[in-house]
Amino acid sequence: MKSYIADSKMRARIRSAAQSIDPVFSIGKNALTPEFTHSVEEYMEKHEIMKINVLKNCDEDLRELGNTIAERSNTELVQIIGRKIVLYKPAKEEKNRAF
């Protein structure tokens, strides 16, 4: 898996920015489907940071779930807080990057 986060300061800036955004998607009983992964990839083409809410009826381990989503969508897992997963992928164009 490719690492997009260069150092701990960059990770801290991303975590700070993620506090102010709301979860975009929710994962429930069905967990990961190809459609969900495709939706994550589409969203990350336009945004650098994404927050995903994991519902209580999802039985999978959060760390494993976060790593699987990141691997399948070619993003990087930033953090897991409670039942929220934060992902990061830099913008394609250098001038559009916030971090």
Side-chain angles (χ1 to χ4, degrees):
M1 185 167 63
K2 191 172 187 177
S3 178
Y4 297 113
I5 300 175
D7 56 12
S8 61
K9 288 184 180 184
M10 182 177 181
R11 182 176 298 276
R13 288 195 321 264
I14 294 169
R15 289 172 65 168
S16 175
Q19 287 181 354
S20 64
I21 64 172
D22 293 324
V24 179
F25 296 113
S26 294
I27 298 177
K29 192 185 279 189
N30 295 335
L32 291 179
T33 61
E35 293 81 16
F36 180 82
T37 305
H38 182 69
S39 298
V40 170
E41 290 172 344
E42 283 183 352
Y43 184 86
M44 293 305 277
E45 286 178 9
K46 298 177 182 148
H47 303 88
E48 290 186 300
I49 302 172
M50 170 187 234
K51 193 183 282 188
I52 300 171
N53 184 31
V54 181
L55 302 176
K56 291 184 180 181
N57 64 357
C58 182
D59 297 332
E60 295 190 36
D61 177 55
L62 290 175
R63 177 68 52 185
E64 186 178 312
L65 185 64
N67 286 327
T68 303
I69 294 169
E71 185 179 312
R72 290 184 185 176
S73 63
N74 198 25
T75 59
E76 186 165 352
L77 178 66
V78 177
Q79 71 178 357
I80 296 175
I81 294 184
R83 300 195 65 84
K84 308 270 190 286
I85 298 172
V86 178
L87 301 173
Y88 169 75
K89 183 175 182 180
K92 289 183 180 180
E93 295 184 28
E94 192 77 32
K95 65 180 182 178
N96 293 336
R97 292 187 184 164
F99 305 99

